[in-house]
Amino acid sequence: QLHLTMSEKNELTKSLEMVQKELQEKESEMKREISEYKDRLLQAEKEHQDALTEANRKNEVEIQACQDKMNSLEHFISSQKLEIEHLKSNKEELNNSLKEANQTLGELLKTEVR
């Protein structure tokens, strides 16, 4: 009876050791998988951050180009306004000169008729 019990104990001990070994192997495998997933997550986060950084850089370049274009257009509008004012002034001067010339012509015609 004792021999049988000792034999069962040995079998149970071996079985327990095998189960413990399997559990340790599974734990080790799970730790390895977790480590791989963490590495992949870190890589994905890095790629995402790099993509965001690049998109921000492109946007800043585009914003600066738009700002430059807007400044150029504002300068052009300002110069056009000055040109319009200059043309208005010239028109006014020409109208005044035309009035004076018409008055002089009128006076000359009156003088000639007499």
Side-chain angles (χ1 to χ4, degrees):
Q1 182 77 24
L2 181 63
H3 182 67
L4 188 63
T5 305
M6 289 298 280
S7 178
E8 284 179 4
K9 181 188 171 207
N10 284 341
E11 282 182 39
L12 285 172
T13 302
K14 283 182 185 177
S15 179
L16 179 63
E17 286 173 356
M18 285 177 62
V19 168
Q20 285 177 332
K21 185 179 178 187
E22 282 179 30
L23 284 173
Q24 284 176 343
E25 286 174 1
K26 284 191 178 192
E27 181 185 13
S28 177
E29 185 180 336
M30 290 176 107
K31 283 181 178 178
R32 184 185 55 75
E33 285 180 6
I34 288 170
S35 178
E36 285 178 13
Y37 287 132
K38 282 182 180 177
D39 288 346
R40 284 163 60 185
L41 179 62
L42 286 173
Q43 182 64 29
E45 286 175 346
K46 183 186 180 304
E47 288 171 4
H48 180 68
Q49 188 59 48
D50 289 348
L52 279 176
T53 301
E54 179 62 16
N56 284 338
R57 188 194 64 76
K58 284 182 180 178
N59 285 341
E60 286 172 9
V61 167
E62 199 171 322
I63 287 169
Q64 186 59 49
C66 288
Q67 190 72 47
D68 291 346
K69 188 171 185 177
M70 196 169 79
N71 289 340
S72 174
L73 288 171
E74 285 174 352
H75 179 74
F76 177 73
I77 288 169
S78 178
S79 69
Q80 291 299 302
K81 284 181 179 177
L82 285 173
E83 182 67 19
I84 288 168
E85 289 303 314
H86 180 69
L87 290 171
K88 282 181 181 177
S89 175
N90 283 351
K91 178 186 170 191
E92 189 76 27
E93 287 177 19
L94 286 172
N95 280 339
N96 290 337
S97 294
L98 185 59
K99 281 180 188 174
E100 288 176 14
N102 280 335
Q103 281 179 343
T104 305
L105 181 61
E107 290 171 7
L108 283 173
L109 287 174
K110 282 180 187 174
T111 307
E112 211 174 86
V113 168
R114 291 183 192 165

